[in-house]
Amino acid sequence: LEMEGDDCSFLPDSSDDHSQRGSVASSATLSRAQDVLIYMFGDSAVHLSVEGLGSITVQELGRSVREALHIPESSQEAFAFWLCSPLLDLQLKARHQPYKLCRQWQDLLYRFTEASEEDISQDEPYLQFRRNVFYPKSKELQIDDEGVLRLLYEEARNNILTGRYPCDPEHWTGLGALSLALDEGTCLDDQKCTTTIREKKLSSFLPAHVAMGSGGLLSTLRGKSSRQTGLEQNLLEAYRKISTSAGNSPEPTQLLHQYLNTCHTLPYYGCAFFLGEIDKPAQGILQRGKRKAVNVGICLEGVYVMDVKEKHVLLGLRFSELSWDHSYPEEEGDSHILWLEFDGEEDGTPVNKLLKIYSKQAELMSGFIEFCVELKSASEGGAAADMDGEVSLSQPAGQDGSNKNGRGGRRGMLQRQSSVVCNRVHSLNTISYVDNG
């Protein structure tokens, strides 16, 4: 979405893994050389000395960072610069000037988040070099440079460990074992492996909600200990399989490819994430009007609505399976709403279902969906996608004179399974209607 004034195109999501990071720039003497830190996942950073910080563009910074990280030209489109904080993440365009956007940060937070005035006043963004949300997974599979693969791995690992990418036990156990092999090699015996897991803690290898458990105050220490031992044993067995199949000294690129390929099986890999809320299903008069927090992941393939607390998918739709729109608040206290329409059934009768997602980022989500649909359509039509960082969400949904978006015709019925990756339409509070037209 392009904003008035500074031409700001970005994709927000919430970030919960960095609490205190230095400001991108704090000195008023911007003509002199200034120190700038560009962060990456995995707690590493590139330290640059930059002249003219007040007017330097992302494109200019990019050349310096790619050079410092030895990123080959063939992979430079895999990454983008993001302005990040615990409250908002923005992917920047090549012509953006990060310092100027930092000066506008509070205005952006007021417009696109529900954060309190106190939180907004204390929030400071930092500059991060990470995966470009528009980079196709098919191109990522062709990368063989270890440095590039490791950057992508660290980001994917972070999203697995924080629960942003929900996955099933067989996935997170296998991924945890691959992380262990990448950190420690594949030659550990059982005793050394168990010792390493305990020293580093399970939360270094498994999603936080799995490693910590959910028993709360009522869970006994003995029960928790038994559970931890079970998780350690599963991790050890998965590590043994890697050691057996990969041999004593596999190439790191082999393990990195394995990790990323597993993540690619998750349909929301590479998504930009937005925060929102949906209505809880009514359970009696007292339960009416309650909402649950959701993450909305949007990528080149589709839209995924995930339960923040339960760490599972509530609804996943490819663009061919949905129509969408957004609406602005009509009165004081109303919310911005993203509407998702999809096929369903009630008592054997096909119906159209509408899901309301309340979010200050509804307009951004709608514009992003439209851009992804256009990009995918152009790509499938043989046209080259614009991957040079000049991507733009400049035409929000509805500007073409129609309020409804999405393709015509019937969409495929949705599959319902027990995996955390699959839809839970039955648990959604949706509006159903029959389209007689």
Side-chain angles (χ1 to χ4, degrees):
L1 181 76
E2 290 198 351
M3 295 179 57
E4 305 80 36
D6 263 69
D7 182 33
C8 174
S9 169
F10 56 86
L11 308 167
D13 63 68
S14 75
S15 175
D16 53 13
D17 57 315
H18 298 286
S19 55
Q20 297 279 326
R21 288 290 175 104
S23 165
V24 173
S26 57
S27 172
T29 56
L30 296 172
S31 58
R32 296 204 308 264
Q34 301 291 322
D35 288 338
V36 176
L37 283 176
I38 294 97
Y39 293 92
M40 288 156 295
F41 285 99
D43 292 326
S44 58
V46 173
H47 185 177
L48 299 177
S49 182
V50 176
E51 292 187 6
L53 183 61
S55 59
I56 195 168
T57 64
V58 163
Q59 189 167 17
E60 293 163 331
L61 271 178
R63 281 192 287 267
S64 300
V65 171
R66 287 193 295 270
E67 185 178 320
L69 295 172
H70 307 293
I71 291 177
E73 192 173 335
S74 59
S75 301
Q76 65 181 23
E77 294 171 350
F79 300 99
F81 284 90
W82 295 65
L83 270 183
C84 306
S85 85
L87 300 181
L88 190 65
D89 287 5
L90 319 176
Q91 179 170 316
L92 308 184
K93 292 166 69 174
R95 63 178 176 267
H96 280 144
Q97 298 172 329
Y99 181 75
K100 288 186 177 178
L101 290 177
C102 286
R103 300 293 296 270
Q104 300 175 13
W105 193 248
Q106 290 194 3
D107 293 336
L108 295 172
L109 295 180
Y110 277 116
R111 181 171 177 184
F112 294 119
T113 76
E114 302 285 355
S116 67
E117 194 169 335
E118 182 182 359
D119 286 345
I120 287 175
S121 68
Q122 295 178 1
D123 195 62
E124 283 193 356
Y126 59 92
L127 199 55
Q128 190 173 46
F129 189 68
R130 66 195 239 200
R131 193 183 189 282
N132 174 7
V133 74
F134 296 109
Y135 194 66
K137 285 193 283 190
S138 58
K139 282 193 176 183
E140 190 176 296
L141 290 171
Q142 299 167 20
I143 295 171
D144 55 12
D145 181 86
E146 183 181 341
V148 173
L149 289 171
R150 200 166 281 277
L151 287 174
L152 293 168
Y153 156 75
E154 290 289 359
E155 182 170 348
R157 179 185 187 181
N158 176 272
N159 285 329
I160 292 290
L161 295 182
T162 58
R164 174 167 278 177
Y165 289 167
C167 57
D168 294 315
E170 62 269 25
H171 279 136
W172 44 250
T173 303
L175 292 171
L178 284 166
S179 288
L180 180 57
L182 280 161
D183 290 351
E184 305 294 332
T186 56
C187 299
L188 298 181
D189 60 31
D190 287 3
Q191 185 176 350
K192 181 62 177 170
C193 184
T194 302
T195 303
T196 302
I197 292 170
R198 287 177 179 170
E199 283 177 353
K200 289 197 167 186
K201 298 188 177 176
L202 279 170
S203 56
S204 298
F205 305 106
L206 303 180
H209 66 283
V210 174
M212 302 303 290
S214 57
L217 294 173
L218 297 177
S219 66
T220 64
L221 287 174
R222 184 178 175 185
K224 186 174 182 181
S225 175
S226 173
R227 186 176 179 279
Q228 297 279 98
T229 303
L231 292 170
E232 289 171 5
Q233 191 61 34
N234 292 340
L235 199 53
L236 176 61
E237 289 174 10
Y239 175 81
R240 273 202 216 111
K241 288 180 183 175
I242 293 170
S243 299
T244 303
S245 61
N248 288 336
S249 54
E251 291 293 322
T253 52
Q254 181 185 339
L255 299 176
L256 292 166
H257 271 136
Q258 264 186 271
Y259 195 101
L260 291 170
N261 288 346
T262 302
C263 289
H264 283 195
T265 65
L266 304 172
Y268 30 79
Y269 174 82
C271 276
F273 288 91
F274 303 78
L275 279 179
E277 292 182 326
I278 61 173
D279 292 314
K280 285 186 174 182
Q283 296 176 331
I285 297 174
L286 297 177
Q287 290 291 323
R288 292 183 185 277
K290 292 197 172 184
R291 297 179 184 174
K292 72 165 63 181
V294 293
N295 275 332
V296 183
I298 304 173
C299 62
L300 294 173
E301 276 76 43
V303 181
Y304 302 89
V305 182
M306 306 176 206
D307 191 312
V308 169
K309 183 180 177 183
E310 300 297 332
K311 310 295 183 191
H312 59 213
V313 173
L314 294 167
L315 181 67
L317 298 168
R318 293 188 174 273
F319 293 128
S320 59
E321 298 173 316
L322 67 87
S323 301
W324 82 97
D325 202 355
H326 81 274
S327 56
Y328 295 94
E330 293 182 359
E331 298 177 8
E332 188 74 29
D334 285 356
S335 302
H336 293 261
I337 296 173
L338 177 73
W339 300 83
L340 297 181
E341 181 184 13
F342 56 96
D343 289 345
E345 64 172 52
E346 285 190 3
D347 301 324
T349 303
V351 296
N352 293 49
K353 285 185 172 288
L354 279 173
L355 178 67
K356 295 166 67 174
I357 301 174
Y358 305 92
S359 174
K360 273 194 170 183
Q361 297 165 11
E363 184 181 1
L364 294 175
M365 289 189 266
S366 180
F368 185 30
I369 292 171
E370 179 166 19
F371 183 77
C372 285
V373 169
E374 290 173 357
L375 196 62
K376 191 170 177 64
S377 175
S379 174
E380 288 173 351
D386 183 5
M387 296 297 301
D388 64 355
E390 289 298 315
V391 292
S392 166
L393 308 184
S394 56
Q395 185 180 348
Q399 282 193 5
D400 61 353
S402 66
N403 289 323
K404 280 282 179 186
N405 302 282
R407 72 177 183 93
R410 301 299 293 172
R411 300 174 289 271
M413 296 300 292
L414 305 174
Q415 300 298 312
R416 299 176 188 173
Q417 300 174 35
S418 59
S419 166
V420 298
V421 176
C422 296
N423 289 302
R424 287 164 176 74
V425 179
H426 58 282
S427 68
L428 295 174
N429 187 356
T430 57
I431 301 168
S432 300
Y433 71 94
V434 178
D435 185 359
N436 294 317

